[in-house]
Amino acid sequence: MLWRSNYTSDSGKTFYYVSLYAGSDWLPEIYQALATKGKGFCDLPASINPRYALITTEDGNTAKIEYPFAPGTAEWFLFWQQIEGNPLIITSKGIGETVKRGTQ
C-alpha cells in the first residue's frame, strides 16, 4: 500500500508529499499518525533509495515499511520502539537510506 509523508533525508533535506511503500498490517501508530494513506504528489529523486524496516511476524509473513523519519529523531525512536514492542512481530531490521554515488 502507498502512503504519503514528508521525508527527511539522512543529510537533513526535506522532500514533501513523497510516496512511500508500506506493505504491512502492523504499522506503528506513529507511522499512521504522521503519514496518510494514498500516493504522494511526488517521488524521491532517483538518486535516493529510502530507508525501510523489514519485519517478520509470528506467522512467518514478512513486510517492508519505507519510513520518513530521520535517524535520531523522536519519531524515529518511537517508530522502532513501537515495532519492537509489538508482540506479533518477531524480528525487525532497519535498512538505511542509500544515495547513489556522485549525487546529493
Side-chain angles (χ1 to χ4, degrees):
M1 169 175 277
L2 288 176
W3 291 74
R4 71 177 167 266
S5 181
N6 296 339
Y7 182 95
T8 303
S9 71
D10 290 352
S11 66
K13 184 172 182 178
T14 300
F15 298 91
Y16 297 94
Y17 307 109
V18 171
S19 293
L20 297 171
Y21 176 77
S24 175
D25 293 329
W26 304 277
L27 290 175
E29 290 177 18
I30 186 69
Y31 192 97
Q32 295 177 58
L34 297 179
T36 304
K37 286 183 183 178
K39 183 170 172 43
F41 303 116
C42 65
D43 293 320
L44 287 172
S47 61
I48 298 176
N49 292 324
R51 64 187 83 81
Y52 59 94
L54 289 175
I55 62 169
T56 304
T57 60
E58 66 179 355
D59 59 5
N61 291 325
T62 59
K64 177 180 178 179
I65 304 170
E66 294 178 345
Y67 62 91
F69 318 118
T73 62
E75 295 84 1
W76 181 84
F77 282 113
L78 188 54
F79 174 81
W80 285 106
Q81 184 179 50
Q82 290 175 352
I83 283 179
E84 292 167 1
N86 186 332
L88 300 177
I89 297 174
I90 58 171
T91 65
S92 61
K93 178 181 180 180
I95 308 297
E97 174 182 296
T98 56
V99 178
K100 291 182 183 174
R101 191 172 231 197
T103 61
Q104 293 187 19

